[in-house]
C-alpha cells in the first residue's frame, strides 16, 4: 500500500544572529543569520498541521523578564511573521490546526505554541518529562523558555513513547503518526532531550525534517559539530555525533530524500523555491 502524500510549506518566522563556527566548528567567524522557520504540513484527511512553530510575539514578551532576557543576549533575535499569521494569510484559521509536532523544547521552535488552542502537541516522552521539570535559569541555560508552553500543555500532549514502525536506514525505527506513511517520526538524540525528526512523503519526493539533528547541511556532510562554546546547551555530545553520522549514512542510503535542517540556509532556499 502506497503512502499518503502531504504538501509542505516553509513559514519564515524570523532569525537570530550568530557566528558560522558556532553552528559548524571550523567554518569561520562571519556573522550569519540563523533562521527559525516552522513547517506547514497539509494532510488530505487530517488537515493542516505544523512541525514546530518558530519565533513569535510570546517570546518577545518573555524577553522582558529575567532570566529569559539572557536567551536574547545569547541569540540576538529578529522577529518576522509568526506562524499563525502566515496561516491566516493562507486562509487557515488557528483553530483548524489539530496537530503541532514539537521537535524539541528550545524557544526558537516553540514560541508559537500558545497560538493554536485546538492543537494536540506530539512530543517524545523524554521531552515532555523535561518540559514538566525545567524552570528558571536552569531552563534558560538549556534554551527552554517555560512561558512559551500553554498551561495545559501536558494534558494536550500526544506522547510518543516507542518507535516500532518501519525503520529508516541508519536512523532506526519510526513512529507512523497517522498510520498511512505520510508522517513518520524518528528520534534524533544529542542536541536536545527527546528530539524528533519527521520523514514526510510528498508527491515530489520524501523530505526529512531533521530539526537540529544538524544545524546545517554542511554540518552533517562534513561531520562538523557545533563549536565547544555551545556544548553547555547540547544534551548529549556523544549522541549528537552519532546523529550527525547517522544523517550522513542515511543520505548515502537514501539519496532520493531531501534532508532539511531547520536553521540551514539551504532549507530557506528550498522553502523560497517550493
Amino acid at each position: 500500500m502506497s503512502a499518503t502524500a502531504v504538501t509542505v510549506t516553509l513559514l519564515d518566522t524570523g532569525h537570530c544572529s550568530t557566528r558560522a563556527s558556532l553552528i559548524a566548528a571550523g567554518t569561520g567567524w562571519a556573522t550569519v543569520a540563523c533562521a527559525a522557520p516552522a513547517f506547514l504540513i497539509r494532510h488530505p484527511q487530517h488537515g493542516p498541521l505544523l512541525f514546530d512553530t518558530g519565533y513569535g510575539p510570546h517570546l518577545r514578551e518573555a524577553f522582558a523578564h529575567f532570566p529569559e532576557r539572557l536567551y536574547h543576549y545569547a541569540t540576538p533575535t529578529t522577529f518576522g511573521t509568526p506562524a499563525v499569521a502566515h496561516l491566516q494569510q493562507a486562509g487557515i484559521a488557528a483553530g483548524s490546526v489539530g496537530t503541532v509536532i514539537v521537535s524539541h523544547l528550545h524557544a526558537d521552535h516553540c514560541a508559537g505554541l500558545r497560538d493554536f488552542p485546538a492543537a494536540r502537541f506530539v512530543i517524545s516522552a523524554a521531552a515532555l518529562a523535561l518540559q514538566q521539570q525545567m524552570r528558571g535559569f536552569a531552563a534558560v541555560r538549556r534554551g527552554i523558555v517555560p512561558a512559551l508552553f500553554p498551561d495545559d500543555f501536558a494534558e494536550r500532549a500526544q506522547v510518543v513513547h516507542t518507535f516500532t514502525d518501519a525503520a529508516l536506514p541508519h536512523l532506526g525505527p519510526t513512529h507512523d503518526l497517522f498510520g498511512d506513511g505520510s508522517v513518520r517520526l524518528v528520534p534524533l538524540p544529542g542536541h536536545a532531550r527527546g528530539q524528533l525528526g519527521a520523514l514526510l512523503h510528498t508527491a515530489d519526493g520524501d523530505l526529512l525534517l531533521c530539526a537540529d539533528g544538524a544545524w546545517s547541511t554542511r554540518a552533517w556532510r562534513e561531520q562538523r559539530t557545533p563549536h565547544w562554546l555551545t556544548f553547555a546547551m547540547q544534551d548529549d555530545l556523544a549522541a549528537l555525533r552519532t546523529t550527525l553520522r547517522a544523517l550522513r549514512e542515511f543520505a548515502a542510503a537514501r539519496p532520493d530524500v531531501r534532508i532539511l535542517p531547520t536553521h540551514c540556509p539551504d532549507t530557506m532556499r528550498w522553502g523560497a523555491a517550493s
Side-chain angles (χ1 to χ4, degrees):
M1 182 177 178
S2 61
T4 298
V6 298
T7 63
V8 185
T9 304
L10 182 146
L11 310 177
D12 185 355
T13 71
H15 65 272
C16 73
S17 299
T18 188
R19 301 287 183 173
S21 277
L22 294 180
I23 297 173
T27 57
W29 291 98
T31 300
V32 296
C34 187
F39 296 87
L40 168 63
I41 303 165
R42 291 181 173 95
H43 190 284
Q45 281 78 50
H46 297 279
L49 59 144
L50 290 170
F51 182 89
D52 290 337
T53 60
Y55 286 134
H58 302 292
L59 183 58
R60 195 201 314 264
E61 294 165 7
F63 284 160
H65 305 283
F66 184 86
E68 288 80 2
R69 68 171 63 104
L70 296 175
Y71 184 101
H72 183 48
Y73 295 151
T75 57
T77 304
T78 300
F79 291 94
T81 303
V84 67
H86 278 290
L87 297 190
Q88 289 169 350
Q89 292 167 9
I92 301 172
S96 70
V97 176
T99 300
V100 176
I101 301 166
V102 181
S103 72
H104 61 292
L105 302 176
H106 290 169
D108 51 341
H109 296 255
C110 293
L113 293 179
R114 288 183 175 272
D115 293 329
F116 299 98
R120 58 177 181 158
F121 302 116
V122 176
I123 187 170
S124 72
L128 180 61
L130 185 65
Q131 186 272 333
Q132 290 291 287
Q133 63 182 263
M134 283 287 101
R135 298 293 183 271
F137 179 78
V140 173
R141 186 187 72 79
R142 299 185 72 137
I144 301 168
V145 175
L148 300 179
F149 297 90
D151 296 340
D152 60 351
F153 183 79
E155 289 74 20
R156 292 162 59 192
Q158 178 179 328
V159 184
V160 180
H161 292 280
T162 59
F163 299 84
T164 57
D165 295 318
L168 301 180
H170 306 286
L171 294 176
T174 62
H175 175 80
D176 191 339
L177 185 59
F178 299 117
D180 60 4
S182 62
V183 180
R184 296 163 61 191
L185 305 178
V186 64
L188 297 173
H191 170 70
R193 185 77 53 86
Q195 179 173 242
L196 297 174
L199 185 78
L200 308 178
H201 179 66
T202 82
D204 298 321
D206 288 356
L207 306 171
L208 177 63
L209 305 184
C210 74
D212 292 1
W215 273 347
S216 68
T217 300
R218 185 174 182 182
W220 67 256
R221 282 180 175 162
E222 300 178 8
Q223 297 295 282
R224 294 181 181 270
T225 61
H227 194 274
W228 64 265
L229 288 172
T230 74
F231 283 1
M233 72 169 293
Q234 311 300 329
D235 183 63
D236 183 330
L237 285 173
L240 185 153
R241 293 186 177 98
T242 297
T243 291
L244 280 176
R245 184 168 60 252
L247 287 170
R248 182 171 65 180
E249 292 171 348
F250 172 78
R254 289 288 308 273
D256 58 303
V257 177
R258 182 184 291 273
I259 299 175
L260 297 174
T262 291
H263 303 302
C264 183
D266 292 341
T267 298
M268 300 305 292
R269 284 189 283 271
W270 169 86
S274 61

